[in-house]
Amino acid sequence: MHQGKGISRRRFLEVMGAPLAAAGVATLQGHRAEAQGQAITLYTSRHYDTDRLLYEGFTRQTGVRVNVVQGDAPKLLERLKSEGTNSPADIFMTVDAANIGRAQADGLFQPVRSPLLERRIPAFLRDPQGQWFSLTRRVRPIMYNRDRVQASELSTYENLADPKWRGRLISRSSSSVYNQSMLAAMLVQRGEAATEAWARGVVANFKRAPQGNDTAQILAVAAGEADLTFVNTYYLPRLMKSNQESERQAAAKIGVFFPRPAHANVSAAGVLKTSRNRAGAQRFLEFLTSLEAQENFACRANNEYPVLAGVPWAPDWPASGHLFRNRCRSSKSVATMPGRCKLLTALAGVKLSPKAYSHFKCVCDSLSLTPSPSPRKGEGSKGNQNNRGRSIFN
């Protein structure tokens, strides 16, 4: 072919091939990005089957699949650290401020700025830098056998160390993060000396050596093996709605007393630095704070207190706002490590490992107890209430 009248086949391929090749690469990259955007990987220590309904709801709404890796919080944290930058995880979700504080202390989170999350979640229930966000609140009141204890006998957590409860109180072990966090909140509020005295008084009042989980404590109190205990609220509604008649009967024997203020903790989550789908991860957190998800947490799933204002909880239970308010924060240690060690040893009756001490340090650094506000007009109509606390099912 003559020059000026046409173009050679070789030149044609050179001219047209480059953009076609580039388009092919762009298409391949686009497909990869699309595939990546269609899934997130969640590492979670929440072990509730009902959470899967939330994941499925998120996928239906967004088209983003949730790959779930479930396990104990300490093991998941170790896994994240060992995987390093190769971790497939986008989100770490866990129960208790201690576990979320540990993840933050290990530098695993990246900050998230979401006007939606900041509007929905009160400032005291999220990290100021956006590294983690509370999804639910979990309260630890006193539960008692209504045939053996009068609500008027109850007042504060400190009262549980009174000798009048000698041989009448039971609890799960202080190796439980729930009890560690409760002790840490008391330590922040009252200091080491008063908290250690309380811990030793409580141990002196135990009917038996600590054993079992929170459900086991409720069932033992209902059976008359002890008179009272302190457990997380959501275990009782589970028994109340149980398919087993014996468990429903046991729940009917239990009264609940909320000291003022009652100890509250959180379930929380954050986006990890390793996330390859940050947009999807943020969208997931925003979904979990939506009205649909918060109602599921509160009423249809695990009976936890919602973080979104205006979401109802179980109708026979008190609204959360005026009963408790734990302020989650990041700060330097508020007490010496030897003091923490003494307190844990006092409750556990054994020496604990350095790893346990480190865990307790994260509790102290993550929780601070503040006085609960007074009830608003129209609140608090159910149950008996005084300036010491409030009882229901009494």
Side-chain angles (χ1 to χ4, degrees), residues 124 138-140 156-158 181-191 195 259-265 323-329 331 334 363-373:
F124 73 94
R138 311 153 73 85
V139 192
R140 200 162 183 79
T156 62
Y157 294 116
E158 288 77 7
S181 292
M182 180 175 167
L183 192 67
M186 188 173 292
L187 180 62
V188 169
Q189 186 186 35
R190 300 192 176 277
T195 305
R260 182 181 293 278
H263 170 66
N265 212 310
L323 288 173
F324 51 85
R325 184 174 182 179
N326 274 27
R327 184 176 299 279
C328 296
R329 62 186 175 87
S331 69
V334 296
V363 186
C364 288
D365 290 348
S366 299
L367 282 179
S368 175
L369 195 62
T370 61
S372 59

mmCIF file of all heavy atoms in Angstrom, residues 124 138-140 156-158 181-191 195 259-265 323-329 331 334 363-373:
data_model
loop_
_atom_site.group_PDB
_atom_site.id
_atom_site.type_symbol
_atom_site.label_atom_id
_atom_site.label_comp_id
_atom_site.label_asym_id
_atom_site.label_seq_id
_atom_site.Cartn_x
_atom_site.Cartn_y
_atom_site.Cartn_z
ATOM 1 N N PHE A 124 -20.134 10.158 73.722
ATOM 2 C CA PHE A 124 -19.508 9.375 74.781
ATOM 3 C C PHE A 124 -19.514 7.879 74.479
ATOM 4 O O PHE A 124 -18.961 7.090 75.236
ATOM 5 C CB PHE A 124 -20.170 9.663 76.138
ATOM 6 C CG PHE A 124 -21.540 9.067 76.315
ATOM 7 C CD1 PHE A 124 -21.717 7.833 76.923
ATOM 8 C CD2 PHE A 124 -22.671 9.758 75.902
ATOM 9 C CE1 PHE A 124 -22.980 7.296 77.106
ATOM 10 C CE2 PHE A 124 -23.936 9.235 76.088
ATOM 11 C CZ PHE A 124 -24.096 7.998 76.690
ATOM 12 N N ARG A 138 -24.702 -2.540 77.120
ATOM 13 C CA ARG A 138 -24.947 -3.751 77.897
ATOM 14 C C ARG A 138 -24.848 -3.375 79.375
ATOM 15 O O ARG A 138 -23.819 -2.890 79.825
ATOM 16 C CB ARG A 138 -23.906 -4.804 77.520
ATOM 17 C CG ARG A 138 -23.778 -4.975 76.009
ATOM 18 C CD ARG A 138 -22.401 -5.450 75.598
ATOM 19 N NE ARG A 138 -22.193 -6.835 75.922
ATOM 20 C CZ ARG A 138 -22.548 -7.862 75.161
ATOM 21 N NH1 ARG A 138 -23.121 -7.631 73.998
ATOM 22 N NH2 ARG A 138 -22.332 -9.100 75.522
ATOM 23 N N VAL A 139 -25.914 -3.597 80.111
ATOM 24 C CA VAL A 139 -25.994 -3.148 81.502
ATOM 25 C C VAL A 139 -25.906 -4.356 82.433
ATOM 26 O O VAL A 139 -26.410 -5.433 82.121
ATOM 27 C CB VAL A 139 -27.298 -2.380 81.752
ATOM 28 C CG1 VAL A 139 -27.257 -1.673 83.098
ATOM 29 C CG2 VAL A 139 -27.525 -1.367 80.633
ATOM 30 N N ARG A 140 -25.257 -4.148 83.602
ATOM 31 C CA ARG A 140 -25.008 -5.246 84.542
ATOM 32 C C ARG A 140 -25.675 -4.936 85.894
ATOM 33 O O ARG A 140 -25.019 -4.493 86.842
ATOM 34 C CB ARG A 140 -23.501 -5.456 84.699
ATOM 35 C CG ARG A 140 -23.117 -6.831 85.249
ATOM 36 C CD ARG A 140 -21.648 -7.137 84.966
ATOM 37 N NE ARG A 140 -21.281 -8.471 85.420
ATOM 38 C CZ ARG A 140 -21.553 -9.599 84.772
ATOM 39 N NH1 ARG A 140 -22.219 -9.560 83.630
ATOM 40 N NH2 ARG A 140 -21.169 -10.766 85.262
ATOM 41 N N THR A 156 -26.774 -0.088 96.292
ATOM 42 C CA THR A 156 -25.656 0.126 95.376
ATOM 43 C C THR A 156 -24.862 -1.165 95.202
ATOM 44 O O THR A 156 -25.055 -2.140 95.932
ATOM 45 C CB THR A 156 -24.714 1.202 95.930
ATOM 46 O OG1 THR A 156 -24.182 0.732 97.186
ATOM 47 C CG2 THR A 156 -25.447 2.513 96.152
ATOM 48 N N TYR A 157 -23.944 -1.152 94.228
ATOM 49 C CA TYR A 157 -23.016 -2.278 94.116
ATOM 50 C C TYR A 157 -22.186 -2.401 95.386
ATOM 51 O O TYR A 157 -21.872 -3.508 95.841
ATOM 52 C CB TYR A 157 -22.080 -2.077 92.921
ATOM 53 C CG TYR A 157 -22.765 -2.117 91.580
ATOM 54 C CD1 TYR A 157 -22.786 -0.998 90.752
ATOM 55 C CD2 TYR A 157 -23.374 -3.280 91.110
ATOM 56 C CE1 TYR A 157 -23.400 -1.025 89.520
ATOM 57 C CE2 TYR A 157 -23.987 -3.321 89.874
ATOM 58 C CZ TYR A 157 -23.997 -2.191 89.078
ATOM 59 O OH TYR A 157 -24.612 -2.226 87.853
ATOM 60 N N GLU A 158 -21.802 -1.269 95.966
ATOM 61 C CA GLU A 158 -20.989 -1.280 97.175
ATOM 62 C C GLU A 158 -21.694 -2.021 98.305
ATOM 63 O O GLU A 158 -21.056 -2.679 99.134
ATOM 64 C CB GLU A 158 -20.666 0.153 97.606
ATOM 65 C CG GLU A 158 -19.662 0.867 96.714
ATOM 66 C CD GLU A 158 -20.264 1.370 95.400
ATOM 67 O OE1 GLU A 158 -21.502 1.275 95.234
ATOM 68 O OE2 GLU A 158 -19.509 1.837 94.542
ATOM 69 N N SER A 181 -14.448 -5.419 83.693
ATOM 70 C CA SER A 181 -14.843 -4.068 83.291
ATOM 71 C C SER A 181 -15.653 -3.381 84.384
ATOM 72 O O SER A 181 -15.497 -2.182 84.622
ATOM 73 C CB SER A 181 -15.651 -4.121 81.993
ATOM 74 O OG SER A 181 -14.829 -4.528 80.923
ATOM 75 N N MET A 182 -16.499 -4.133 85.054
ATOM 76 C CA MET A 182 -17.267 -3.567 86.159
ATOM 77 C C MET A 182 -16.334 -3.111 87.274
ATOM 78 O O MET A 182 -16.494 -2.027 87.851
ATOM 79 C CB MET A 182 -18.256 -4.609 86.679
ATOM 80 C CG MET A 182 -19.116 -4.145 87.835
ATOM 81 S SD MET A 182 -20.331 -5.423 88.266
ATOM 82 C CE MET A 182 -20.902 -4.786 89.839
ATOM 83 N N LEU A 183 -15.335 -3.930 87.572
ATOM 84 C CA LEU A 183 -14.366 -3.579 88.603
ATOM 85 C C LEU A 183 -13.544 -2.362 88.186
ATOM 86 O O LEU A 183 -13.262 -1.475 88.996
ATOM 87 C CB LEU A 183 -13.444 -4.771 88.866
ATOM 88 C CG LEU A 183 -12.553 -4.695 90.098
ATOM 89 C CD1 LEU A 183 -13.382 -4.726 91.361
ATOM 90 C CD2 LEU A 183 -11.562 -5.847 90.102
ATOM 91 N N ALA A 184 -13.194 -2.300 86.910
ATOM 92 C CA ALA A 184 -12.412 -1.170 86.414
ATOM 93 C C ALA A 184 -13.187 0.130 86.512
ATOM 94 O O ALA A 184 -12.645 1.172 86.884
ATOM 95 C CB ALA A 184 -11.995 -1.420 84.966
ATOM 96 N N ALA A 185 -14.490 0.083 86.190
ATOM 97 C CA ALA A 185 -15.313 1.283 86.289
ATOM 98 C C ALA A 185 -15.380 1.766 87.737
ATOM 99 O O ALA A 185 -15.311 2.972 88.009
ATOM 100 C CB ALA A 185 -16.715 0.996 85.759
ATOM 101 N N MET A 186 -15.497 0.825 88.663
ATOM 102 C CA MET A 186 -15.521 1.189 90.076
ATOM 103 C C MET A 186 -14.173 1.769 90.507
ATOM 104 O O MET A 186 -14.104 2.721 91.292
ATOM 105 C CB MET A 186 -15.866 -0.034 90.918
ATOM 106 C CG MET A 186 -16.106 0.266 92.387
ATOM 107 S SD MET A 186 -16.703 -1.175 93.288
ATOM 108 C CE MET A 186 -18.323 -1.380 92.558
ATOM 109 N N LEU A 187 -13.103 1.213 89.970
ATOM 110 C CA LEU A 187 -11.759 1.700 90.287
ATOM 111 C C LEU A 187 -11.575 3.139 89.826
ATOM 112 O O LEU A 187 -11.026 3.984 90.539
ATOM 113 C CB LEU A 187 -10.722 0.799 89.630
ATOM 114 C CG LEU A 187 -9.248 1.130 89.836
ATOM 115 C CD1 LEU A 187 -8.880 1.040 91.299
ATOM 116 C CD2 LEU A 187 -8.380 0.193 89.018
ATOM 117 N N VAL A 188 -12.077 3.433 88.633
ATOM 118 C CA VAL A 188 -11.992 4.786 88.095
ATOM 119 C C VAL A 188 -12.773 5.761 88.972
ATOM 120 O O VAL A 188 -12.331 6.876 89.252
ATOM 121 C CB VAL A 188 -12.532 4.828 86.644
ATOM 122 C CG1 VAL A 188 -12.700 6.265 86.173
ATOM 123 C CG2 VAL A 188 -11.594 4.069 85.715
ATOM 124 N N GLN A 189 -13.943 5.322 89.412
ATOM 125 C CA GLN A 189 -14.822 6.204 90.164
ATOM 126 C C GLN A 189 -14.393 6.367 91.621
ATOM 127 O O GLN A 189 -14.428 7.475 92.166
ATOM 128 C CB GLN A 189 -16.254 5.674 90.120
ATOM 129 C CG GLN A 189 -17.270 6.620 90.774
ATOM 130 C CD GLN A 189 -18.638 5.994 90.847
ATOM 131 O OE1 GLN A 189 -18.765 4.789 91.034
ATOM 132 N NE2 GLN A 189 -19.667 6.811 90.685
ATOM 133 N N ARG A 190 -13.950 5.280 92.261
ATOM 134 C CA ARG A 190 -13.754 5.308 93.707
ATOM 135 C C ARG A 190 -12.313 5.142 94.167
ATOM 136 O O ARG A 190 -12.025 5.309 95.354
ATOM 137 C CB ARG A 190 -14.617 4.226 94.360
ATOM 138 C CG ARG A 190 -16.088 4.426 94.083
ATOM 139 C CD ARG A 190 -16.957 3.538 94.941
ATOM 140 N NE ARG A 190 -18.373 3.819 94.706
ATOM 141 C CZ ARG A 190 -19.047 4.791 95.284
ATOM 142 N NH1 ARG A 190 -18.438 5.605 96.135
ATOM 143 N NH2 ARG A 190 -20.322 4.978 95.017
ATOM 144 N N GLY A 191 -11.422 4.780 93.252
ATOM 145 C CA GLY A 191 -10.029 4.632 93.641
ATOM 146 C C GLY A 191 -9.707 3.224 94.118
ATOM 147 O O GLY A 191 -10.598 2.402 94.370
ATOM 148 N N THR A 195 -12.067 0.308 96.223
ATOM 149 C CA THR A 195 -12.445 -0.786 95.340
ATOM 150 C C THR A 195 -11.894 -2.112 95.842
ATOM 151 O O THR A 195 -12.576 -3.144 95.783
ATOM 152 C CB THR A 195 -11.966 -0.516 93.908
ATOM 153 O OG1 THR A 195 -12.459 0.748 93.475
ATOM 154 C CG2 THR A 195 -12.455 -1.583 92.954
ATOM 155 N N PRO A 259 -28.888 -0.314 90.162
ATOM 156 C CA PRO A 259 -28.330 0.744 91.017
ATOM 157 C C PRO A 259 -28.242 2.048 90.236
ATOM 158 O O PRO A 259 -28.264 2.056 89.002
ATOM 159 C CB PRO A 259 -26.933 0.221 91.369
ATOM 160 C CG PRO A 259 -27.002 -1.249 91.139
ATOM 161 C CD PRO A 259 -27.946 -1.429 89.988
ATOM 162 N N ARG A 260 -28.149 3.151 90.940
ATOM 163 C CA ARG A 260 -27.999 4.436 90.273
ATOM 164 C C ARG A 260 -26.631 5.020 90.596
ATOM 165 O O ARG A 260 -26.388 5.381 91.736
ATOM 166 C CB ARG A 260 -29.085 5.406 90.744
ATOM 167 C CG ARG A 260 -29.009 6.770 90.043
ATOM 168 C CD ARG A 260 -30.082 7.706 90.541
ATOM 169 N NE ARG A 260 -31.403 7.274 90.176
ATOM 170 C CZ ARG A 260 -31.967 7.493 88.985
ATOM 171 N NH1 ARG A 260 -31.298 8.140 88.057
ATOM 172 N NH2 ARG A 260 -33.180 7.085 88.714
ATOM 173 N N PRO A 261 -25.687 5.088 89.677
ATOM 174 C CA PRO A 261 -25.819 4.619 88.295
ATOM 175 C C PRO A 261 -25.493 3.136 88.186
ATOM 176 O O PRO A 261 -24.718 2.601 88.975
ATOM 177 C CB PRO A 261 -24.769 5.440 87.564
ATOM 178 C CG PRO A 261 -23.690 5.636 88.575
ATOM 179 C CD PRO A 261 -24.396 5.770 89.906
ATOM 180 N N ALA A 262 -26.099 2.477 87.200
ATOM 181 C CA ALA A 262 -25.791 1.080 86.929
ATOM 182 C C ALA A 262 -24.588 1.002 85.991
ATOM 183 O O ALA A 262 -24.365 1.895 85.175
ATOM 184 C CB ALA A 262 -26.993 0.398 86.295
ATOM 185 N N HIS A 263 -23.826 -0.075 86.135
ATOM 186 C CA HIS A 263 -22.658 -0.249 85.272
ATOM 187 C C HIS A 263 -23.095 -0.616 83.861
ATOM 188 O O HIS A 263 -23.885 -1.538 83.651
ATOM 189 C CB HIS A 263 -21.751 -1.352 85.820
ATOM 190 C CG HIS A 263 -20.661 -1.742 84.872
ATOM 191 N ND1 HIS A 263 -19.645 -0.875 84.529
ATOM 192 C CD2 HIS A 263 -20.440 -2.878 84.171
ATOM 193 C CE1 HIS A 263 -18.830 -1.471 83.674
ATOM 194 N NE2 HIS A 263 -19.297 -2.687 83.441
ATOM 195 N N ALA A 264 -22.601 0.118 82.886
ATOM 196 C CA ALA A 264 -22.921 -0.142 81.484
ATOM 197 C C ALA A 264 -21.636 -0.339 80.697
ATOM 198 O O ALA A 264 -20.620 0.297 80.972
ATOM 199 C CB ALA A 264 -23.716 1.010 80.891
ATOM 200 N N ASN A 265 -21.700 -1.219 79.725
ATOM 201 C CA ASN A 265 -20.575 -1.466 78.837
ATOM 202 C C ASN A 265 -21.083 -1.392 77.400
ATOM 203 O O ASN A 265 -22.237 -1.019 77.177
ATOM 204 C CB ASN A 265 -19.940 -2.821 79.148
ATOM 205 C CG ASN A 265 -18.445 -2.836 78.883
ATOM 206 O OD1 ASN A 265 -17.986 -2.439 77.824
ATOM 207 N ND2 ASN A 265 -17.684 -3.292 79.867
ATOM 208 N N LEU A 323 -30.771 5.803 83.634
ATOM 209 C CA LEU A 323 -30.310 4.785 84.573
ATOM 210 C C LEU A 323 -28.792 4.682 84.639
ATOM 211 O O LEU A 323 -28.217 4.403 85.677
ATOM 212 C CB LEU A 323 -30.878 3.419 84.177
ATOM 213 C CG LEU A 323 -32.368 3.249 84.436
ATOM 214 C CD1 LEU A 323 -32.848 1.939 83.858
ATOM 215 C CD2 LEU A 323 -32.655 3.303 85.926
ATOM 216 N N PHE A 324 -28.144 4.878 83.547
ATOM 217 C CA PHE A 324 -26.707 4.664 83.545
ATOM 218 C C PHE A 324 -26.061 5.476 82.437
ATOM 219 O O PHE A 324 -26.684 5.810 81.449
ATOM 220 C CB PHE A 324 -26.377 3.183 83.333
ATOM 221 C CG PHE A 324 -27.084 2.594 82.145
ATOM 222 C CD1 PHE A 324 -26.563 2.704 80.877
ATOM 223 C CD2 PHE A 324 -28.298 1.954 82.310
ATOM 224 C CE1 PHE A 324 -27.220 2.181 79.777
ATOM 225 C CE2 PHE A 324 -28.968 1.430 81.221
ATOM 226 C CZ PHE A 324 -28.426 1.542 79.960
ATOM 227 N N ARG A 325 -24.798 5.760 82.661
ATOM 228 C CA ARG A 325 -24.047 6.415 81.589
ATOM 229 C C ARG A 325 -22.561 6.214 81.855
ATOM 230 O O ARG A 325 -21.969 6.873 82.684
ATOM 231 C CB ARG A 325 -24.370 7.901 81.530
ATOM 232 C CG ARG A 325 -23.673 8.576 80.343
ATOM 233 C CD ARG A 325 -24.121 10.019 80.204
ATOM 234 N NE ARG A 325 -23.497 10.640 79.050
ATOM 235 C CZ ARG A 325 -23.718 11.884 78.685
ATOM 236 N NH1 ARG A 325 -24.563 12.623 79.368
ATOM 237 N NH2 ARG A 325 -23.119 12.398 77.631
ATOM 238 N N ASN A 326 -21.980 5.282 81.156
ATOM 239 C CA ASN A 326 -20.539 5.079 81.212
ATOM 240 C C ASN A 326 -19.912 5.829 80.057
ATOM 241 O O ASN A 326 -20.329 5.691 78.915
ATOM 242 C CB ASN A 326 -20.193 3.589 81.074
ATOM 243 C CG ASN A 326 -20.233 2.881 82.396
ATOM 244 O OD1 ASN A 326 -20.941 3.288 83.297
ATOM 245 N ND2 ASN A 326 -19.474 1.821 82.508
ATOM 246 N N ARG A 327 -18.919 6.624 80.370
ATOM 247 C CA ARG A 327 -18.270 7.417 79.331
ATOM 248 C C ARG A 327 -17.028 6.674 78.858
ATOM 249 O O ARG A 327 -16.099 6.451 79.613
ATOM 250 C CB ARG A 327 -17.875 8.783 79.883
ATOM 251 C CG ARG A 327 -17.277 9.718 78.838
ATOM 252 C CD ARG A 327 -17.006 11.079 79.440
ATOM 253 N NE ARG A 327 -18.236 11.691 79.923
ATOM 254 C CZ ARG A 327 -19.096 12.323 79.142
ATOM 255 N NH1 ARG A 327 -18.888 12.425 77.855
ATOM 256 N NH2 ARG A 327 -20.193 12.854 79.648
ATOM 257 N N CYS A 328 -17.050 6.260 77.584
ATOM 258 C CA CYS A 328 -15.884 5.589 77.029
ATOM 259 C C CYS A 328 -14.875 6.632 76.587
ATOM 260 O O CYS A 328 -15.231 7.629 75.982
ATOM 261 C CB CYS A 328 -16.279 4.725 75.833
ATOM 262 S SG CYS A 328 -17.382 3.384 76.273
ATOM 263 N N ARG A 329 -13.630 6.398 76.895
ATOM 264 C CA ARG A 329 -12.626 7.390 76.547
ATOM 265 C C ARG A 329 -11.282 6.700 76.347
ATOM 266 O O ARG A 329 -11.085 5.558 76.739
ATOM 267 C CB ARG A 329 -12.491 8.428 77.666
ATOM 268 C CG ARG A 329 -12.034 7.845 78.993
ATOM 269 C CD ARG A 329 -12.066 8.884 80.094
ATOM 270 N NE ARG A 329 -11.753 8.297 81.383
ATOM 271 C CZ ARG A 329 -10.539 8.152 81.869
ATOM 272 N NH1 ARG A 329 -9.504 8.529 81.163
ATOM 273 N NH2 ARG A 329 -10.340 7.619 83.054
ATOM 274 N N SER A 331 -7.366 7.349 77.394
ATOM 275 C CA SER A 331 -6.577 8.170 78.295
ATOM 276 C C SER A 331 -5.413 7.362 78.822
ATOM 277 O O SER A 331 -5.307 6.165 78.592
ATOM 278 C CB SER A 331 -7.431 8.654 79.466
ATOM 279 O OG SER A 331 -7.772 7.570 80.302
ATOM 280 N N VAL A 334 -5.305 5.259 84.835
ATOM 281 C CA VAL A 334 -5.814 6.038 85.959
ATOM 282 C C VAL A 334 -5.384 5.471 87.294
ATOM 283 O O VAL A 334 -5.700 6.030 88.335
ATOM 284 C CB VAL A 334 -7.356 6.097 85.917
ATOM 285 C CG1 VAL A 334 -7.820 6.818 84.680
ATOM 286 C CG2 VAL A 334 -7.946 4.685 85.981
ATOM 287 N N VAL A 363 -9.174 -2.031 80.152
ATOM 288 C CA VAL A 363 -10.486 -1.699 80.695
ATOM 289 C C VAL A 363 -10.420 -0.355 81.402
ATOM 290 O O VAL A 363 -11.246 0.535 81.204
ATOM 291 C CB VAL A 363 -10.960 -2.777 81.694
ATOM 292 C CG1 VAL A 363 -12.393 -2.485 82.120
ATOM 293 C CG2 VAL A 363 -10.893 -4.144 81.072
ATOM 294 N N CYS A 364 -9.411 -0.204 82.260
ATOM 295 C CA CYS A 364 -9.285 1.041 83.012
ATOM 296 C C CYS A 364 -9.087 2.230 82.090
ATOM 297 O O CYS A 364 -9.584 3.322 82.356
ATOM 298 C CB CYS A 364 -8.098 0.943 83.977
ATOM 299 S SG CYS A 364 -8.390 -0.150 85.377
ATOM 300 N N ASP A 365 -8.367 2.028 81.020
ATOM 301 C CA ASP A 365 -8.086 3.126 80.104
ATOM 302 C C ASP A 365 -9.263 3.438 79.188
ATOM 303 O O ASP A 365 -9.284 4.470 78.535
ATOM 304 C CB ASP A 365 -6.864 2.790 79.243
ATOM 305 C CG ASP A 365 -5.584 2.785 80.050
ATOM 306 O OD1 ASP A 365 -5.618 3.256 81.197
ATOM 307 O OD2 ASP A 365 -4.569 2.302 79.538
ATOM 308 N N SER A 366 -10.253 2.557 79.136
ATOM 309 C CA SER A 366 -11.370 2.742 78.204
ATOM 310 C C SER A 366 -12.664 3.168 78.858
ATOM 311 O O SER A 366 -13.571 3.648 78.185
ATOM 312 C CB SER A 366 -11.623 1.433 77.439
ATOM 313 O OG SER A 366 -10.493 1.065 76.700
ATOM 314 N N LEU A 367 -12.780 2.986 80.177
ATOM 315 C CA LEU A 367 -14.047 3.265 80.838
ATOM 316 C C LEU A 367 -13.904 4.332 81.908
ATOM 317 O O LEU A 367 -12.918 4.379 82.620
ATOM 318 C CB LEU A 367 -14.591 2.000 81.514
ATOM 319 C CG LEU A 367 -15.254 0.962 80.620
ATOM 320 C CD1 LEU A 367 -15.695 -0.215 81.476
ATOM 321 C CD2 LEU A 367 -16.454 1.532 79.894
ATOM 322 N N SER A 368 -14.896 5.159 82.019
ATOM 323 C CA SER A 368 -15.010 6.094 83.137
ATOM 324 C C SER A 368 -16.472 6.212 83.490
ATOM 325 O O SER A 368 -17.321 6.299 82.611
ATOM 326 C CB SER A 368 -14.441 7.464 82.758
ATOM 327 O OG SER A 368 -14.650 8.398 83.796
ATOM 328 N N LEU A 369 -16.781 6.168 84.759
ATOM 329 C CA LEU A 369 -18.164 6.206 85.187
ATOM 330 C C LEU A 369 -18.565 7.625 85.547
ATOM 331 O O LEU A 369 -17.868 8.301 86.287
ATOM 332 C CB LEU A 369 -18.349 5.299 86.400
ATOM 333 C CG LEU A 369 -19.779 4.939 86.784
ATOM 334 C CD1 LEU A 369 -20.451 4.172 85.659
ATOM 335 C CD2 LEU A 369 -19.773 4.087 88.045
ATOM 336 N N THR A 370 -19.686 8.091 85.037
ATOM 337 C CA THR A 370 -20.191 9.416 85.375
ATOM 338 C C THR A 370 -21.586 9.282 85.943
ATOM 339 O O THR A 370 -22.289 8.319 85.648
ATOM 340 C CB THR A 370 -20.246 10.322 84.130
ATOM 341 O OG1 THR A 370 -21.133 9.731 83.177
ATOM 342 C CG2 THR A 370 -18.890 10.480 83.502
ATOM 343 N N PRO A 371 -22.025 10.224 86.770
ATOM 344 C CA PRO A 371 -23.365 10.119 87.352
ATOM 345 C C PRO A 371 -24.439 10.105 86.273
ATOM 346 O O PRO A 371 -24.323 10.779 85.258
ATOM 347 C CB PRO A 371 -23.472 11.384 88.213
ATOM 348 C CG PRO A 371 -22.065 11.797 88.463
ATOM 349 C CD PRO A 371 -21.296 11.399 87.237
ATOM 350 N N SER A 372 -25.464 9.324 86.498
ATOM 351 C CA SER A 372 -26.554 9.289 85.525
ATOM 352 C C SER A 372 -27.446 10.498 85.709
ATOM 353 O O SER A 372 -27.638 10.976 86.813
ATOM 354 C CB SER A 372 -27.383 8.009 85.713
ATOM 355 O OG SER A 372 -27.906 7.965 87.017
ATOM 356 N N PRO A 373 -27.991 11.048 84.635
ATOM 357 C CA PRO A 373 -28.880 12.200 84.752
ATOM 358 C C PRO A 373 -30.190 11.810 85.410
ATOM 359 O O PRO A 373 -30.536 10.642 85.486
ATOM 360 C CB PRO A 373 -29.096 12.614 83.297
ATOM 361 C CG PRO A 373 -28.835 11.387 82.500
ATOM 362 C CD PRO A 373 -27.790 10.615 83.248
#
